[in-house]
Amino acid sequence: MPYSIKFIILLTFTALCTSIGAQKKAVKTAPRGRVATSAIIQKPKISTIDSLISHYQFDEAISLIERGLDEQAAASYHDSLTQRQHQAHKGNSMIEATQKVVFVDSQVVSRERMLLAISTDKSCGQLLTAKQIKELLADNAQPVGVGFINDFGDQLFFGQKAANGTTRLMQANLYGDKWSTPTSLFDINNNTTAEGFPFMMADGATFYFAAQDEGSLGGYDIYVTRYDASNGTFLKPENMGMPFNSPANDYLMIYDEVNRLGWFVSDRNQPADKVCVYTFIPDEGRETYEVDTISTQLRHLAAIHSIAATQKGNQTAVADATERLKQARNAKMDIAQNTILNFDLAYEKRYTSIDEFKNAEAKKLAVDWAAQTFRRAQLAELLQENRLKYANARSEAERKAIAPIILRQEGELDIQDEQIVSLANQIRTLEN
């Protein structure tokens, strides 16, 4: 064979080997996604799914979840997907029935100060902290969250930790000057895992609370039920739906029929130690948005993305509600300013005006303290009048009619005394 032919064959073989080697190297180093035959489908990330759910993009979340469930995956991953699949489907059904609610205000506050952002008429009863409930019932309860006592001061609702770690709704009643041993609200607790945050409307039947169970969208949701006086039981609770409930935690629901305002508390889009207190205009009709497709606008309305967006076309109602809210907030301050303030801050140090307080939180609490001191004086005056009526009664029947009123007012007076003392101690701690 001629030398030139051998050289050509050698060059051709060398080029062929180099080409094959380059291809192998390319296959080895090329990104997986670029080689169709070796592409690997990534498992949907839980964080991505949670982000979609938190932004009310439930359809997109469901698609990712279903893709993940079709793959062979670890049991823990599969369980996480199944849990979120239920949540996303629940969100889809809720968003289609989003209520038309007009919001007039929102305040971001710390969790321990959220009650200060709610200004209700005294006919609504009183909201109590866990500490206040504990002081009221002594060793008879281990309360958590926020409790509620009715306007008469003789019926108390609160959440209490159970032995199994869940939280149960409890009730206690005032008989004479003593509170009964708290009992479980079985009709509600058998249907939900109740966290508490109860509120009973002035009708004595409509009852709101927060719970976390399989019917919840995420975290704690707000539920409503009614008390059936004919058989002494509560009806099956109903989820309040959107916009009140969200994939985050949603708590206290308050209706003030005198001021025609409503409040509820949520930690959606808030850091760990903060909550947002929303004020809205109650609507008994519970009208919902007409939905053909779930649009970005509906998602924003369901999530309360913008209070202004809920007010469009309702300017007159919003203006009226804003004025009522202003009056409700000023009511405490008006009482405080018109009350002869004699607050003993420390030894030989007395404040005689709200304006003397330097700490902002102490000043807010001082307004509450002055308002409660004023109401306490009013109640004491009514109690004295009823005691005189009892003493001057002409018959045993009259005395029997007045006696329960006196006992109830005495019990309420004791409660107010305890609350006033508790508030005073908090004020001194903050101001000093």
Side-chain angles (χ1 to χ4, degrees):
M1 182 181 293
Y3 177 78
S4 59
I5 294 175
K6 288 182 178 179
F7 182 73
I8 292 171
I9 292 173
L10 179 61
L11 286 176
T12 302
F13 179 76
T14 302
L16 180 61
C17 291
T18 302
S19 175
I20 293 171
Q23 290 179 35
K24 288 181 178 180
K25 184 177 181 181
V27 170
K28 184 177 180 181
T29 59
R32 293 179 179 178
R34 296 181 184 178
V35 183
T37 57
S38 61
I40 296 177
I41 299 175
Q42 294 291 323
K43 292 192 298 184
K45 292 183 177 180
I46 295 297
S47 60
T48 302
I49 294 170
D50 286 343
S51 178
L52 289 171
I53 290 175
S54 68
H55 288 87
Y56 291 64
Q57 294 175 275
F58 301 114
D59 282 331
E60 293 89 335
I62 291 170
S63 296
L64 274 183
I65 292 167
E66 290 177 347
R67 196 184 86 188
L69 289 174
D70 287 340
E71 300 173 6
Q72 296 294 325
S76 59
Y77 177 74
H78 190 277
D79 290 344
S80 295
L81 288 180
T82 302
Q83 176 186 354
R84 284 159 176 81
Q85 184 182 42
H86 171 81
Q87 185 182 21
H89 280 295
K90 185 73 177 177
N92 249 348
S93 64
M94 276 192 181
I95 199 169
E96 292 176 353
T98 300
Q99 294 181 48
K100 289 184 177 180
V101 180
V102 179
F103 291 88
V104 295
D105 187 61
S106 65
Q107 293 185 76
V108 175
V109 297
S110 61
R111 290 178 182 274
E112 63 268 21
R113 301 298 182 197
M114 67 179 174
L115 298 187
L116 294 177
I118 300 172
S119 302
T120 56
D121 184 80
K122 63 179 183 179
S123 63
C124 295
Q126 288 182 281
L127 299 171
L128 305 178
T129 64
K131 182 180 179 181
Q132 289 172 324
I133 298 168
K134 179 67 176 175
E135 291 171 352
L136 196 65
L137 300 179
D139 295 329
N140 289 330
Q142 297 296 325
V144 293
V146 174
F148 169 78
I149 189 168
N150 66 354
D151 184 36
F152 294 113
D154 60 0
Q155 191 174 36
L156 174 67
F157 299 98
F158 62 96
Q160 176 169 272
K161 281 288 184 183
N164 61 2
T166 61
T167 308
R168 306 278 78 186
L169 279 169
M170 308 294 287
Q171 174 183 345
N173 295 286
L174 183 65
Y175 297 108
D177 59 350
K178 293 184 179 180
W179 285 93
S180 64
T181 300
T183 57
S184 172
L185 296 180
F186 293 108
D187 303 321
I188 296 176
N189 292 333
N190 287 340
N191 284 286
T192 60
T193 302
E195 171 67 10
F197 299 94
F199 174 76
M200 177 77 83
M201 287 186 63
D203 62 8
T206 309
F207 188 73
Y208 297 91
F209 64 96
Q212 183 179 30
D213 67 353
E214 62 181 14
S216 303
L217 175 58
Y220 291 98
D221 278 12
I222 299 171
Y223 287 79
V224 61
T225 181
R226 285 186 63 83
Y227 181 72
D228 186 351
S230 63
N231 56 23
T233 60
F234 285 93
L235 302 179
K236 184 178 180 180
E238 295 181 7
N239 190 297
M240 288 291 292
M242 295 180 185
F244 299 115
N245 290 321
S246 71
N249 293 298
D250 305 285
Y251 303 108
L252 194 61
M253 175 69 78
I254 305 293
Y255 278 90
D256 183 342
E257 293 177 289
V258 174
N259 291 312
R260 288 173 289 134
L261 293 170
W263 288 265
F264 85 97
V265 181
S266 175
D267 67 9
R268 64 186 78 182
N269 304 318
Q270 300 301 325
D273 62 337
K274 301 288 185 181
V275 295
C276 186
V277 180
Y278 293 92
T279 309
F280 62 94
I281 303 174
D283 181 13
E284 294 181 3
R286 300 187 70 172
E287 184 180 358
T288 60
Y289 293 99
E290 294 181 5
V291 178
D292 292 325
T293 58
I294 298 174
S295 63
T296 299
Q297 181 184 16
L298 181 61
R299 287 192 182 98
H300 286 175
L301 289 167
I304 322 179
H305 188 268
S306 166
I307 286 179
T310 71
Q311 298 176 351
K312 291 181 179 178
N314 298 286
Q315 281 72 20
T316 301
V318 170
D320 291 343
T322 302
E323 181 60 29
R324 295 197 302 274
L325 177 59
K326 181 181 178 181
Q327 292 176 1
R329 285 175 174 168
N330 287 340
K332 290 182 181 179
M333 184 62 77
D334 289 342
I335 292 173
Q337 298 290 7
N338 292 323
T339 301
I340 299 175
L341 189 68
N342 288 304
F343 186 85
D344 292 318
L345 185 67
Y347 180 70
E348 293 186 346
K349 187 176 182 180
R350 173 174 291 185
Y351 284 177
T352 58
S353 170
I354 292 293
D355 294 331
E356 291 184 65
F357 288 92
K358 299 173 182 63
N359 182 280
E361 290 297 327
K363 187 172 184 177
K364 289 180 182 178
L365 289 176
V367 171
D368 275 354
W369 180 87
Q372 289 201 29
T373 301
F374 178 76
R375 287 197 295 269
R376 197 262 182 211
Q378 288 182 314
L379 181 60
E381 186 177 342
L382 289 173
L383 176 59
Q384 184 60 28
E385 290 178 3
N386 284 323
R387 283 172 173 167
L388 288 173
K389 288 180 181 178
Y390 183 89
N392 297 326
R394 297 180 179 179
S395 67
E396 186 63 25
E398 284 185 44
R399 282 190 286 271
K400 284 184 178 180
I402 298 172
I405 299 174
I406 292 174
L407 290 174
R408 185 176 66 240
Q409 290 176 340
E410 286 176 341
E412 189 175 345
L413 205 61
D414 289 339
I415 295 169
Q416 291 202 8
D417 285 340
E418 292 172 357
Q419 291 174 350
I420 289 169
V421 170
S422 177
L423 274 174
N425 289 335
Q426 293 179 59
I427 293 166
R428 293 185 184 103
T429 300
L430 289 167
E431 186 70 7
N432 289 321

